[in-house]
Amino acid sequence: MTNREFVDELSSDSPAPGGGSVAALCAAQAAGLVAMVANLTVGKRKYAAVQDRVKEIAEEGQDLKDFFLAAIDDDTNAFNAVMDCFGLPKKSAEQAKARDLAIAEATREATRVPLSVLEKVPPLLELAAEVGRIGNVNSLSDAGVAALSGMAGAEGAYYNVLINLDSLRELDQSAEPDFLAGTRTRAAEALAACEKGAAETRAVIRGKLESVLDS
């Protein structure tokens, strides 16, 4: 889809794509900005000392961008898989049990997607902070927007993890009894790392931008 088509689809009464896909898109845009700032630093004499590193950052940013872009569709597909399971027959006790187990498995998979997005954002924010420190000063605001977009993606992914975990509480957990608690712990740890990284990046970017005006 084009951006317009995607947003038009979001604004319809279709439940997917939804917030999970948007969270992944926010992270993808952040990664794209990180790569852009790095690429705008490549080949500049003023930044000769950091050429090798900014090239690495550009490549790492591209890899993260591709991961997050794939997660946009992964999230939508995972949600649709859950909805498909609700359509399974449940006339007999055996059918009802099989249906519940299928819903639980699909919901776990739908939880893994935003969790994977969330856990990829801390290194993204580290890259945003680093390229903000060593990259092209003319693109400093872009590095700052990368941090803001990345944090939006992280928190959005965190919300989607939590709402899926809430749905799982009502389902049969016998297949993976530790999934709910373990996933919540991982999500909380990843979000804390994101918040720390975002705060540090914000301080770097805002401090450098404000110091230019104050000098």
Side-chain angles (χ1 to χ4, degrees), residues 42-63:
V42 172
K44 301 295 191 296
R45 292 182 183 177
K46 182 178 178 180
Y47 305 98
V50 297
Q51 287 299 296
D52 289 344
R53 181 55 189 151
V54 292
K55 290 175 183 177
E56 291 174 351
I57 292 174
E59 292 179 0
E60 291 171 26
Q62 294 285 2
D63 289 342

Side-chain angles (χ1 to χ4, degrees), residues 77-170:
N77 293 336
F79 176 84
N80 288 335
V82 174
M83 292 298 98
D84 289 343
C85 289
F86 277 102
L88 293 173
K90 54 178 180 178
K91 292 182 179 179
S92 68
E94 292 79 7
Q95 287 179 335
K97 182 175 178 58
R99 175 179 177 273
D100 287 348
L101 289 172
I103 293 171
E105 176 53 35
T107 303
R108 283 191 292 271
E109 187 58 34
T111 307
R112 292 185 182 101
V113 177
L115 179 64
S116 71
V117 170
L118 176 56
E119 292 185 327
K120 285 282 190 179
V121 174
L124 170 63
L125 293 173
E126 290 177 8
L127 292 177
E130 185 176 4
V131 82
R133 286 192 301 269
I134 70 174
N136 193 325
V137 293
N138 294 322
S139 298
L140 192 55
S141 60
D142 299 301
V145 174
L148 296 174
S149 297
M151 189 60 220
E155 189 149 359
Y158 180 69
Y159 293 164
N160 277 270
V161 169
L162 294 186
I163 200 165
N164 285 325
L165 291 180
D166 183 52
S167 297
L168 273 174
R169 291 193 305 164
E170 307 300 322

Side-chain angles (χ1 to χ4, degrees), residues 190-212:
L191 183 66
C194 290
E195 290 174 334
K196 183 176 182 292
E200 292 173 351
T201 307
R202 185 181 297 113
V204 169
I205 304 299
R206 187 180 295 178
K208 290 184 72 171
L209 286 171
E210 291 175 347
S211 67
V212 171

